[in-house]
Amino acid sequence: AALPASPASASAEGYRLEASSTNFGADTIYSSATVAVALSTLTVSSLAQNTTYFFRVGSLNWANAPNFTTLGSTATLAAAPSGLTVGSVSSTSVSLSWSANGNPNWTPYELSLSTDDFQTSVSTPATFAANLTASATTLSLAGGTTYYFRVRARNWASSLTAFSATASTVTLPGLLTSISTSAPSTTALNWTWTNTAGPAVQSYSVYWASNTALLGTTGATSFGLTALSTNTAYGVRIGAVDATGPGPLSAAVTGYTLAAPATGTAFTAVYVASVTVAWGANGNPGGTVFELHRSTDNLTFALISSQTAASYADLGIGNATFYYKIRAKNGDGTPTVFDVTVSTFLSGFPPEPPSGLRGTPAGASIQLSWTHSPSAGLLQYNVYWDAGTGAVNYAATYSTVTASTNSFTTP
C-alpha cells in the first residue's frame, strides 16, 4: 500500500510518535501511536530523566507503515533530588549527600545554604556554573553556626527542579582566641573572653592547662577560681560547646594571683655611712620580687633594688636623712601597696683633711695656704688656732672659708 503524505489526516489511518536519544541510531526507540486521525498530539512515556531526545512523527497507512517527519529535539526534566543528609560535621566544614532520584551522572546540582532557614539569608556555595555533578560534597563553613541546606537540579535545557527538603545542622564551635586573665586578690583569678567560637555556642568548658582535667562549665564569657596560693601561676584552656558538641580547646592562658604586701620593714643595722633594711615576705613564695625605694625628702623616691631576698644593705651613703619603703610584685609584674616607710639619719664619713698647710708672713698677718681635700661634696673649710697657747682649740672656729678657696690671711 502506498504511504500517505506525512502527516496528512485526509489519507492517514493514524499516527506514530517516536523518540530516540541518539537521533534514531542504535538505541531504544520509544513510541506512541493512535488511530485517531483527528489528534494532533501524542505522548511518549518511560523516557530517561534529563536526557535529550530526538522526535519524529509519521502518518500510518493501511499496513501501519509510517511516513516520518522530523520534529526536532528537547530534553526531559531532571528529577528533584531528595534525601538531603548531613554527614560529618566539624568546626570548619560539613559534608552533605543526597539521592539523585534517577538523574544521569552528568546532571548538575546547585547547593544553597542559609543561617535563618532561607528567610532572608541565602548564599550559593555550589552554583550550576561549578558543575557539581556528584550527589555529595563538603562545604567550608564557620564554626558554632546553625546552617540550613537545600539542593536542586537542572536539565540540559536549563529547566530547574524544585528544591529538595531542607536539612540543617550546627557546626562544632570554633576556637576561642581572645582570652585574658586578671587577679582580684592573692587567692583568686578570673578569666574573661570574647565569643569567637560562633553564635550557636551554648556554654563553655574550662580545663586545667597542665592535665586537661575539667574545672567547670559556664554559660557566661567569664570564669573564676578561688582558694588559690599567693603569687602563683595558674593556667587553663577553654572550649566552647554547642548543640553538636564541644569545639577545640584554646591555647593555655596563664595568670598569677596577686602578691601579698611586704610587712615589718625595719632597719637591722645602721652605721655612719650604710644601713641594712629588712622586711617580711608575708606568705609570698620564694622567687617573689621585692622593690626597695629610697628618698632623702620623703617625697620623691627612686628604685634602688629589685630582688628576691628579704633584706638589703645600702652602702656608701650619709650626711642626710634617708627614707625607705618596700613593695612586692607578682609574676605578672603587678605591684602591691608599699609597706610603711622607715627613716634614719646618717652623718656619713668625715671628709679627708686638706694637705700641705703652710704659712707665709704677710706684714702683720700670716697667709695660710693648703692643697684641697680629695673628698667630694665639701661645704667649707674651718680654720682653727691656738691663740698663742701652743694648744689648738678645735671647739672654737677661728674663721671659715668656702670650699672653693685654698688660702686664708689672718687679720
Side-chain angles (χ1 to χ4, degrees):
L3 293 175
S6 176
S9 60
S11 58
E13 296 298 325
Y15 302 99
R16 181 188 295 167
L17 177 65
E18 293 184 347
S20 167
S21 62
T22 62
N23 201 9
F24 303 99
D27 71 320
T28 301
I29 296 177
Y30 300 86
S31 65
S32 176
T34 182
V35 295
V37 295
L39 290 179
S40 60
T41 60
L42 284 173
T43 300
V44 178
S45 59
S46 300
L47 301 181
Q49 296 158 179
N50 190 19
T51 302
T52 298
Y53 285 93
F54 299 86
F55 295 88
R56 65 188 181 185
V57 63
S59 57
L60 303 176
N61 67 3
W62 289 107
N64 208 31
N67 185 14
F68 286 111
T69 294
T70 299
L71 297 179
S73 64
T74 190
T76 53
L77 295 176
S82 62
L84 179 60
T85 303
V86 176
S88 62
V89 179
S90 73
S91 297
T92 58
S93 66
V94 166
S95 64
L96 300 166
S97 62
W98 55 91
S99 171
N101 268 355
N103 289 317
N105 58 11
W106 58 76
T107 301
Y109 297 95
E110 176 193 77
L111 186 64
S112 54
L113 64 82
S114 172
T115 55
D116 62 2
D117 202 8
F118 299 99
Q119 298 301 306
T120 58
S121 169
V122 181
S123 63
T124 308
T127 64
F128 285 120
N131 197 31
L132 172 63
T133 57
S135 56
T137 191
T138 298
L139 300 179
S140 295
L141 302 173
T145 304
T146 301
Y147 286 100
Y148 301 84
F149 308 94
R150 65 188 183 186
V151 63
R152 64 181 175 179
R154 185 179 70 180
N155 75 348
W156 284 109
S158 298
S159 295
L160 304 177
T161 70
F163 283 106
S164 68
T166 300
S168 66
T169 192
V170 180
T171 50
L172 287 173
L175 186 68
L176 294 171
T177 57
S178 301
I179 306 173
S180 59
T181 182
S182 60
S185 72
T186 59
T187 59
L189 273 174
N190 294 328
W191 287 266
T192 58
W193 57 90
T194 300
N195 179 16
T196 57
V201 168
Q202 297 173 337
S203 63
Y204 303 91
S205 298
V206 183
Y207 301 83
W208 282 122
S210 58
N211 57 15
T212 64
L214 180 65
L215 284 167
T217 60
T218 177
T221 54
S222 61
F223 185 80
L225 290 174
T226 58
L228 305 178
S229 299
T230 301
N231 190 19
T232 301
Y234 294 90
V236 301
R237 299 176 69 187
I238 306 171
V241 181
D242 62 21
T244 299
L249 294 182
S250 70
V253 180
T254 300
Y256 280 82
T257 51
L258 293 179
T263 57
T265 305
F267 296 110
T268 58
V270 178
Y271 299 102
V272 172
S274 68
V275 297
T276 299
V277 186
W279 53 89
N282 195 21
N284 287 307
T288 298
V289 173
F290 296 94
E291 291 185 341
L292 182 63
H293 295 247
R294 183 182 67 194
S295 172
T296 56
D297 60 7
N298 202 24
L299 295 175
T300 303
F301 284 81
L303 175 68
I304 62 170
S305 178
S306 181
Q307 61 183 60
T308 58
S311 66
Y312 178 79
D314 195 10
L315 307 176
I317 55 176
N319 195 30
T321 298
F322 292 90
Y323 302 84
Y324 297 87
K325 59 184 181 180
I326 188 76
R327 67 181 179 184
K329 291 171 64 176
N330 75 349
D332 286 328
T334 302
T336 67
V337 297
F338 285 100
D339 191 20
V340 295
T341 301
V342 296
S343 65
T344 188
F345 175 79
L346 301 182
S347 61
F349 290 111
E352 293 291 325
S355 59
L357 179 64
R358 55 193 176 276
T360 303
S365 301
I366 298 176
Q367 185 180 31
L368 302 174
S369 62
W370 57 87
T371 301
H372 281 297
S373 166
S375 298
L378 296 178
L379 299 178
Q380 64 186 32
Y381 290 105
N382 294 335
V383 180
Y384 302 91
W385 74 318
D386 63 0
T389 64
V392 177
N393 181 12
Y394 290 102
T397 303
Y398 179 69
S399 184
T400 61
V401 295
T402 63
S404 60
T405 302
N406 66 341
S407 64
F408 172 73
T409 301
T410 62

